Amino acid sequence: MNQQLDKRFVKLIFRLKQSLSRGHRELITAVSVAVCVLLLHSIGLLQSLELAALDQFFRLRPNEPPEERITIVVIDESYLNEIRSWPIPDTKIAQLLQKLNVHKPLAVGLDIYRNLPVEPGNQELHNVYKSMTNLIGIELLTNDKNKNISVLPPQGLNQNQVGFNNLLYDLDGKVRRSLLYWYVDNQPHESFALKLALLYLKSKGIIPTKAKNNPEYLQLGKAAFTRFEANDGAYVGADDRGYQLLTNFPKPKCQGSSKVLCNFRQVSMRDVLADKVKENLIKDRIVLIGSTAPSLQDFVFIPYSSSLMGTAKPVPGIQLQAYFISELISAALGGRPLLKVWPDLVEDLWIFVWSYLGAVTTWRILHATRGLLSILVSCFVLTLSAYLAFLYGWWIPLIPSLFSFGSSAIWMTSHIAHMQEEWKRSKEFLHHVINTIPDPIFVKNEQHQWIVLNEAYCRFIGYPNKLLIEKSDYDFFPKHEADVFRQQDDLVFRTQKPQEHEEEFTNADGQTHQIATKRSLHKDSAGNFFLVGVIRDITQRKLMEEQLKRTAAELFRSNNELKLKEDHLRYLAYHDPLTGLSNRKFFAEQLYESLNWAQHNNLLLGLLFIDLDGFKQVNDTLGHETGDRLLMTIAERLSNSLRASDTVSRLGGDEFTIILRAIPNVQIAAKVAEKILSSITKPIVLDGYAIRISASIGISVYPYNSQDSETLMKQADAAMYRAKHLGKNRYEFA
């Protein structure tokens, strides 16, 4: 049992391998390439390219409406040169905060470290801190990598007025993620950007809650903030501690600026202190205070920093915080898309689909120019699809998909080149071989096109080789013939077994031939399949077969006629022409055979000799025609009175005999005689006359009376005459 299962399993694997090698080249290529690309993706080799592609999507995205909710108060290089001091004295910071507070901002973010007093004015600054509940300062929290690096919050601010400004850097030094929460000793801390955003949203009636779809996620108004995980998007094993977001950086529209990278609304600290800033730039806004001076080196690189040409340009740290805050507020109030990623399984499937498309595109379009154009169009469609998805907040794999698509195309192209080279060699070899064979031979590819034909085939079909090559049966044969050829070709391609079939074949002159075609499948080293067909013209043989069939049919018909005539003559020889009963000759043969059978089986046999009483008077009175009809009626009554195994015969005139086979005793013969007498004596109506007639019956029994037929006949005849003398209409035994 196990051996049978093993054999079936091996057979199944073999058939599967054959099927894959023939019809699933694209699938094999796609799976192989996709697995390799996913492996490269899983170890992070494609991470840098994918992040660079994401940066370009950020730069290509259309501008969004200007951000009117945030104003940045910048400490620029010219102001530092003016005061000639860093850190800025506390008195200057206190004055700045007081000036801002006059115009009633919704929130003020101080994005400079003030953990140590900078006299003069420290006490004044503390007083300002206490008077501004909407003021948020910054601190730098420790982490596992830098346990000894931290900056304490400003003195005089309570914990609710402090947010951390720790940043997450990718391997290329850019910031693409933001932190909402960080945990120190299992205690949660809110980020600087989150605290300012919550103050602003609180004025709009929005407070943080748990997301409905996942209680572990933060819900703010219309947005649920999905938490970043280590392998999201292009990332591989990234640090996902805390509550991180993939930042979907806004792109505010430039206002009268020719710069490629637009900034948020900015005013200088000098102008605020000099009361040169309009109230509408501060009132009901989030005001951020930070440095843009190059000498302080508070700059970071973000996706907008990159460009295809030229040097990357960093942005100030205060502007980065503005990006974070703007994203949180826009998502909560307006439902602006957050940057999301697909599940790993969906991403893997997406990569496989493009790998398969790369293989299919190359395999199905063998023409070099059209193939290249199709590949370029497909790459454009893939890039455009990824870009459009990005605009709606989805980060889908672009570089792995392009890489898998291109690799499949290159792999399939090299495979096609190898196949075409082997194809050319195989065609040359086949052409050389089959031209030496006198029978018509054709070779077809899997598209059912002729690729090699010998001279005998071209002569047979009546067309030159150049006209036939790379054409199909439908181009030269009637459709009903081409359908048969295609059906037989498909059978060989499907089963991969030789087949022989008889077909009709119409040549260029319109002559139809009967042919026998043997088809077989051959495969070269590159996996190309060739269908080779060898033709034999069997037209003459078929004509001879048809002639023989017609001759045989005529002979069969003649034999039937002879047999019918013979049967008729035999019937006439053994039957009475008037009554249809067997005649004297048939009776003598049947009696002889019946006696032999009775002797071998030790059985009794009865012989009845019947003569009609008064038949001559009927003939003389009513005529011979009526007499004949009377005899026919009597014959019918005699037949109906007997068993199927008994034989009734007419000896001539009005004399009849009956052979009773296999009777158990003589009384049976007497009962049959009584039945016959009763049947005969019933009136017979002929031409309006009711004729009554009777019969005299003599009975002899084998072996009591005799053991030979002649003696039995004589004794039965004698018994019949005795019955007549004794009064007729009766029977007597011998």
Side-chain angles (χ1 to χ4, degrees), residues 285-490:
R285 290 188 176 221
I286 297 175
V287 178
L288 301 177
I289 304 170
S291 169
T292 60
S295 61
L296 298 181
Q297 294 296 309
D298 185 15
F299 290 87
V300 293
F301 289 94
I302 63 172
Y304 292 131
S305 301
S306 301
S307 62
L308 291 176
M309 303 293 291
T311 307
K313 298 178 180 180
V315 299
I318 188 62
Q319 188 172 333
L320 176 64
Q321 297 298 334
Y323 278 120
F324 292 160
I325 297 169
S326 177
E327 179 186 21
L328 295 175
I329 295 176
S330 297
L333 293 179
R336 182 179 182 273
L338 298 167
L339 199 56
K340 302 180 292 294
V341 297
W342 282 342
D344 291 342
L345 182 60
V346 178
E347 288 189 351
D348 295 347
L349 182 61
W350 175 258
I351 293 171
F352 167 75
V353 167
W354 282 99
S355 177
Y356 183 73
L357 289 176
V360 170
T361 302
T362 310
W363 179 254
R364 301 296 169 87
I365 306 175
L366 298 178
H367 191 274
T369 304
R370 287 184 303 206
L372 179 60
L373 181 61
S374 299
I375 291 173
L376 293 176
V377 170
S378 299
C379 291
F380 174 76
V381 170
L382 171 56
T383 305
L384 181 62
S385 301
Y387 176 68
L388 293 176
F390 166 76
L391 294 181
Y392 285 94
W394 288 100
W395 183 19
I396 63 176
L398 174 62
I399 298 302
S401 304
L402 285 173
F403 198 76
S404 62
F405 181 87
S407 299
S408 293
I410 293 172
W411 188 344
M412 193 58 71
T413 300
S414 62
H415 180 62
I416 291 173
H418 174 61
M419 288 184 63
Q420 290 176 342
E421 182 64 26
E422 288 297 322
W423 184 276
K424 182 179 179 181
R425 293 178 183 176
S426 300
K427 286 173 61 177
E428 292 174 352
F429 174 75
L430 288 171
H431 190 269
H432 176 74
V433 171
I434 66 175
N435 262 337
T436 62
I437 301 175
D439 292 327
I441 298 177
F442 63 85
V443 181
K444 294 180 179 179
N445 58 19
E446 292 182 82
Q447 287 72 44
H448 301 275
Q449 297 173 326
W450 291 304
I451 57 172
V452 179
L453 301 168
N454 69 348
E455 295 177 0
Y457 185 87
C458 296
R459 289 195 301 270
F460 189 50
I461 190 175
Y463 294 103
N465 188 295
K466 292 182 179 180
L467 187 62
L468 296 173
I469 290 299
E470 296 186 358
K471 300 293 179 58
S472 71
D473 297 316
Y474 287 96
D475 296 322
F476 295 93
F477 300 116
K479 184 177 183 301
H480 68 279
E481 294 181 5
D483 287 340
V484 174
F485 298 156
R486 178 63 59 87
Q487 180 182 3
Q488 295 302 315
D489 292 349
D490 286 335

Side-chain angles (χ1 to χ4, degrees), residues 109-145:
L110 186 60
D111 188 26
I112 54 177
Y113 295 115
R114 308 299 297 180
N115 57 316
L116 298 174
V118 183
E119 296 293 352
N122 183 253
Q123 184 60 44
E124 181 184 357
L125 182 58
H126 280 203
N127 294 335
V128 173
Y129 285 165
K130 293 179 181 179
S131 65
M132 294 182 65
T133 57
N134 62 343
L135 176 63
I136 304 297
I138 62 171
E139 64 177 337
L140 183 64
L141 299 177
T142 60
N143 55 45
D144 292 343
K145 295 182 179 179

Side-chain angles (χ1 to χ4, degrees), residues 578-579 612 614-633 650 653-654 686-687 691:
L578 176 63
T579 61
L612 300 181
F615 177 73
K616 185 176 182 304
Q617 183 179 358
V618 173
N619 263 347
D620 295 340
T621 305
L622 300 178
H624 289 285
E625 183 179 352
T626 301
D628 290 344
R629 292 167 61 192
L630 176 65
L631 289 175
M632 293 169 62
T633 303
R650 181 188 176 202
D654 59 349
L686 296 173
D687 297 331
I691 302 172

Side-chain angles (χ1 to χ4, degrees), residues 12-48:
L12 177 63
I13 294 298
F14 178 73
R15 289 183 177 178
L16 180 62
K17 182 178 179 182
Q18 283 185 323
S19 176
L20 287 175
S21 63
R22 283 196 57 204
H24 298 83
R25 298 181 182 91
E26 303 98 327
L27 183 60
I28 296 174
T29 301
V31 171
S32 303
V33 170
V35 169
C36 294
V37 171
L38 290 173
L39 180 61
L40 294 176
H41 177 60
S42 66
I43 60 179
L45 293 182
L46 304 179
Q47 178 173 320
S48 298

